[in-house]
Amino acid sequence: MSAEKFDVYTNVTNQIIAQIEAGTPPWRKPWTGGGGAVSLPERFNGEAYPGINILVLWATAMSKDYSSARWMTFNQAKQLGGHVRKGEKSATVVEYGTVERKDETGEERQIP
């Protein structure tokens, strides 16, 4: 029996729907007067995450009450001398890029 393929669209959609149903969509500032300013999620090297990753990482940070906007992999944390708390789970992000494909005329094109 083969494992079901991970569908990033369904995963992201389900996360957003769950946040809306809980009354805490990640794009809405909860004007409670507490906590720090909301900042854009960044990779460990300071590069900002693009697109839907912003909403996904905001939602994850809100649900886990994270105070930092920095994100990194397990191996990056180890290389920097850090660690990952026991029981922590990874967050899903969408990798953006382009691929070269031939179109109907046989020309190479960059496709997002």
Side-chain angles (χ1 to χ4, degrees), residues 62-81:
M62 285 174 55
S63 69
K64 296 184 179 227
D65 203 25
Y66 291 157
S67 59
S68 175
R70 297 275 174 127
W71 296 83
M72 64 185 66
T73 66
F74 176 82
N75 287 334
Q76 288 165 343
K78 278 181 37 179
Q79 288 173 353
L80 294 169

Side-chain angles (χ1 to χ4, degrees), residues 19-80:
Q19 290 284 318
I20 292 169
E21 289 175 346
T24 58
W27 57 86
R28 187 184 314 154
K29 167 72 174 131
W31 297 104
T32 60
V38 175
S39 59
L40 292 175
E42 298 177 338
R43 293 181 176 89
F44 76 102
N45 62 1
E47 183 181 343
Y49 277 96
I52 194 68
N53 290 324
I54 295 169
L55 292 178
V56 170
L57 294 174
W58 274 348
T60 301
M62 285 174 55
S63 69
K64 296 184 179 227
D65 203 25
Y66 291 157
S67 59
S68 175
R70 297 275 174 127
W71 296 83
M72 64 185 66
T73 66
F74 176 82
N75 287 334
Q76 288 165 343
K78 278 181 37 179
Q79 288 173 353
L80 294 169

Side-chain angles (χ1 to χ4, degrees), residues 6-9 11-12 43 47-54 56-57 73 76 91-99 111-112:
F6 180 77
D7 182 5
V8 70
Y9 296 106
N11 182 275
V12 169
R43 293 181 176 89
E47 183 181 343
Y49 277 96
I52 194 68
N53 290 324
I54 295 169
V56 170
L57 294 174
T73 66
Q76 288 165 343
T92 301
V93 293
V94 179
E95 185 176 351
Y96 291 89
T98 58
V99 294
I111 300 172

